Each structure stands twice: as structure tokens, then as C-alpha cells.
Amino acid sequence: MGQARPALTALAVSVLALLEERPMHPYEMFQLLLRRNEDLIVKLRPGSLYHTVARLADQELVRAEGVDREGNRPERTTYRITASGRDALRARLAEILRYPAREYPLFPVALSEAHNLPKDEVLRLVRERVAHLERDLADLDTMADWARTHEVERRYWIVLPYLRATLSAELGWLTGFLDELACGALEWEEFDPHTGARLAGPEHPWTDDDPPERPPVPRRSAGAAP
């Protein structure tokens, strides 16, 4: 039996979706993704995109169709999606839509360990984050307004209201967190104002020892398969 192909990365999904529209060369893919603001949802670098296209070609999910040259520009190879690539794209989209896989963003890590920083510093940093998120929210509104004005079919920009909803939820939560922390309703670690060292206090209640009552375990563990 042949080995199963590795799961398509986010960038591989974007590449195959572009080639589902029409054949194109990697530079054209990169420019089109930028024009469509796909870098909001996919980490987009020229080198990574070229590497992704080459890997898809090795897996026979895309195939080289021809080489073009314009003036003094380097030769550019045009690629087309294969039947296997189309099947892989649809299967991967179905898998992602169906199963809420753990993606491990960095912010929850920082939030869970924020008690290692003094209260005033956390307040300052999170307020700065809120300002950045508010600008991001305004940018999303601008893009959505542009799409409506130009009568772009909604299915092509449905991700914008999704991003706005998740961003609004984070902003709402952070605002409440800041209010609790600023007024003292949320207790915080104490730090020496001169040395910056954390003062002795109670240990984290979830220790290596078995507590009388263990915290609940998520039904969908980190290693669970779809």
C-alpha cells in the first residue's frame, strides 16, 4: 500500500484553490493572493509559495503546463491543478470545515502566563493590544464596505464577517479583563517595585501532586483524531 499524502497546509489549500480557477504561475499566484488580502488568513511569503508549488507538483496534485518569458524577466512556469489535486483540495476543505482542530495560537499562551508580569505592565500591554485590534477591526470594515460597493458576490468574502466576529469577541473579553484587573476585582501576583522580583505567594493550585479533585479534561484531547 502506498503512503498517505501529508495533510495540505493552509498555503497549499490556497494554491490549489487558485489553480481551480485557472492555470497560473507562482508569481501570479502570489500577487493575486496579496490583491485579495489573503495574507490576513494565510502566512504568505514568496519562497514558501514556490516551495509549496514544487511540493504539490512532486505529489502530482499540480502539473507544469508551460514556460513563459516576457522581455528580460525570468522564465515562469505555469501550473494546472490535476484531478488528484482537485480531490485533495475538496477533501481537505471538508475535513477543516467538519472538525475543529486545535491550532495553538500564541496569545492564549501569553494570557495563561501573564501572571508572571506585574499588573501595571499587563494593563499597559493589553491596552496596546486592544488599540491594534481596534485598527484591525476598522480595516475589516473598510474591506467589507468595498466588497459591498463593488457588488462582489458574498461567498467570496464571507471570511471577513467571520474575522470581524472573532475580533469583536476578543475585544469584548479583553475590555472586561482590563476592567477587572484595573479595579482589583481580579487578584494578581505581587512584585517588588525595586527589584522586579515576584514576592512569595501561594503556589499554582494545579501542581504535580494529585489534588483531591482533578480539573476536568476536555473531551476532545490534543491528540484526538477527527
Side-chain angles (χ1 to χ4, degrees):
M1 295 178 63
Q3 290 185 341
R5 290 194 181 99
L8 296 175
T9 64
L11 187 53
V13 169
S14 295
V15 167
L16 289 176
L18 285 179
L19 295 180
E20 178 74 332
E21 296 179 28
R22 67 174 188 276
M24 59 185 79
H25 52 73
Y27 180 76
E28 183 181 6
M29 298 178 205
F30 180 75
Q31 292 299 320
L32 187 54
L33 288 170
L34 285 179
R35 286 199 299 273
R36 293 178 178 177
N37 296 312
E38 296 283 342
D39 53 327
L40 282 174
I41 54 177
V42 178
K43 187 173 183 179
L44 191 56
R45 299 287 186 273
S48 298
L49 189 143
Y50 279 83
H51 178 72
T52 295
V53 172
R55 187 170 63 249
L56 292 173
D58 289 341
Q59 296 173 339
E60 299 183 347
L61 302 182
V62 305
R63 69 168 182 267
E65 192 169 70
V67 178
D68 298 323
R69 180 192 290 273
E70 294 182 14
N72 294 325
R73 293 179 178 176
E75 291 183 345
R76 291 175 176 170
T77 303
T78 298
Y79 290 87
R80 176 185 294 273
I81 193 171
T82 64
S84 295
R86 185 171 296 110
D87 291 343
L89 171 63
R90 293 177 179 178
R92 182 62 170 146
L93 289 174
E95 178 187 14
I96 296 170
L97 289 171
R98 177 187 301 118
Y99 182 72
R102 299 193 186 280
E103 297 176 347
Y104 303 104
L106 282 174
F107 180 63
V109 177
L111 189 62
S112 70
E113 301 297 343
H115 57 269
N116 288 288
L117 297 175
K119 172 180 173 178
D120 289 344
E121 186 174 358
V122 173
L123 286 169
R124 175 178 58 81
L125 294 171
V126 175
R127 284 168 180 155
E128 186 175 342
R129 180 183 183 87
V130 165
H132 287 301
L133 293 178
E134 287 173 342
R135 286 192 288 270
D136 291 343
L137 197 65
D139 289 343
L140 289 173
D141 287 340
T142 298
M143 286 185 279
D145 289 342
W146 184 94
R148 292 189 194 94
T149 300
H150 290 77
E151 298 182 347
V152 179
E153 294 289 345
R154 190 160 171 258
R155 64 183 177 274
Y156 295 120
W157 53 278
I158 191 65
V159 70
L160 294 181
Y162 170 80
L163 292 175
R164 192 190 195 288
T166 55
L167 207 60
S168 295
E170 181 178 343
L171 278 168
W173 190 91
L174 288 176
T175 299
F177 168 68
L178 287 171
D179 289 344
E180 277 194 284
L181 189 57
C183 74
L186 177 60
E187 295 182 2
W188 208 251
E189 304 279 5
E190 296 291 336
F191 293 79
D192 187 298
H194 303 292
T195 65
R198 182 165 49 186
L199 302 179
E203 293 185 1
H204 196 302
W206 295 354
T207 65
D208 293 334
D209 299 328
D210 287 338
E213 182 181 350
R214 296 190 62 79
V217 177
R219 286 177 296 173
R220 199 162 42 84
S221 65

